[in-house]
Amino acid sequence: MTTNNNPPRQSILIIGCGIAGPTLASFLLLGCSSTTPPTPPPYITVLERSSTPRTTGQNIDIRGVGVTLIRKLGIASAILEHTTNEAGVRHVDSSNRVWGEMAASSDEQYHSPTSDIEILRGRLAQICVKRCLSLGKETDAGVEFIFGVYAEAIEEDGAQVRVKFRRSGKERRFDVVVGADGLMSSTRRMVWGEKGEEARMKRLGVYGAFFSMPSSEADGLWRRWYRAPGGRGVMIRPSESRDRSTVTMLVCNDDKDPRFREMAALGTKREKSYKEVVAAQKGLLNEYFDKDDFGWEGPRIVKEMMQAGDFYYSAVAQVKMEKWSKGRVVLLGDAGYCASPLSGLGTTLSFIGSYNLAAALLHHPHNPTAAFAQYETKMRPFVERAQKLPLDGRAPFVLQPQTRLGIVLLYGLVAFIRWSGIQALLFRLLGKPKAKEVQVEEYGWRDLIALEVDV
């Protein structure tokens, strides 16, 4: 009689199928398949409350260490084939006159508003999922994806975590649960408690909405950024398809109108349907942007927003926590350490976080306490640097003034910077881009350069 003394394979539940979740699964499979002989991978389940993979989302960029990691995953070519090719940002007035501009640049030079790798969030998530599925087939491990279901209860039960699924009514046990479910993470609220959310989330007083719309003749590869009094602003940006543009609406409100904050929390309360939540959020923005004093392309923006099927609304905020794990539950990406879109490093943090968490889980497969300690040690210094925002997060209030005089002065300043030729010098004086400050530690895993994902 033969006895198998090998320890059982660990089971890992990843909550969230955006960018961080599937990337973590891919790195777990990659790490196991890189040993000689290959190590049996953990049983991986990815849970997503949306009924289908998310295909929408705003323009995001990948910088520095993130570029190194997409090459390791073998998805660099797929990403480059689907970039938006944004040329840079232009500051325009109500007549579309350009007062200042800054062209896209690579991380090697300085941290400009536009990276040389700009892609839509939904497209990047799709590429990450396909990478994960192809790795699963290659390693004969597979990853279980469950859509249209979410966790309604997470409780540690001895040496495992008991998770109850809403809608399906099932209950399952896992060795480790990873919350990769974004800024408004339900995993974080369930495990750490609703009571501490106010302390964990640093709200920056800025609220934004995203959607896409048909392109007009004025839309092109340059991002156009327009401001109106009251801290309102709109950016129209290119997408990967030339017949559509993306729109970001921003309001620097500083919580003077409490409804902005209430609208951001609506989706987490589950008291209203998705359609009711979106309708309420659109209604508030319609009230602020459908005014004569907004000018520019206001009527077009409001009309397209009200009709948009890919509308998304959120607070601009950071997540700061003393510890990203509790028992056998750990947070990844925005769920644990959101740096906010103002940092320009959210996607890069998701990639490097997934990479280091995968390594830690594989180094300590049956000791989550040790794994999570290693993960925090590797990630904490970079996260702290990424979360240090210009003017302590007040930069949007400078870039989107409250008064018409403030806007005139801002445009005068950007015009001077443009024509004086000191723009690049100013950005270089700000120092080396934060995404270049971190080196990718080698864990002995093979690079998947030859295994590009065809999307």
Side-chain angles (χ1 to χ4, degrees), residues 69-78 131 447-453:
L69 292 175
I70 63 174
R71 289 173 181 156
K72 279 188 171 293
L73 280 174
I75 58 175
S77 293
R131 169 76 285 177
D447 289 355
L448 298 176
I449 296 174
L451 294 172
E452 301 295 348
V453 178

Side-chain angles (χ1 to χ4, degrees), residues 319-353:
V319 175
K320 294 190 174 184
M321 302 176 66
E322 293 183 1
K323 193 175 180 182
W324 302 323
S325 64
K326 190 172 184 179
R328 291 177 170 270
V329 181
V330 64
L331 300 175
L332 173 63
D334 284 355
Y337 38 85
C338 178
S340 89
L342 305 182
S343 72
L345 293 172
T347 306
T348 298
L349 281 172
S350 290
F351 278 113
I352 189 65

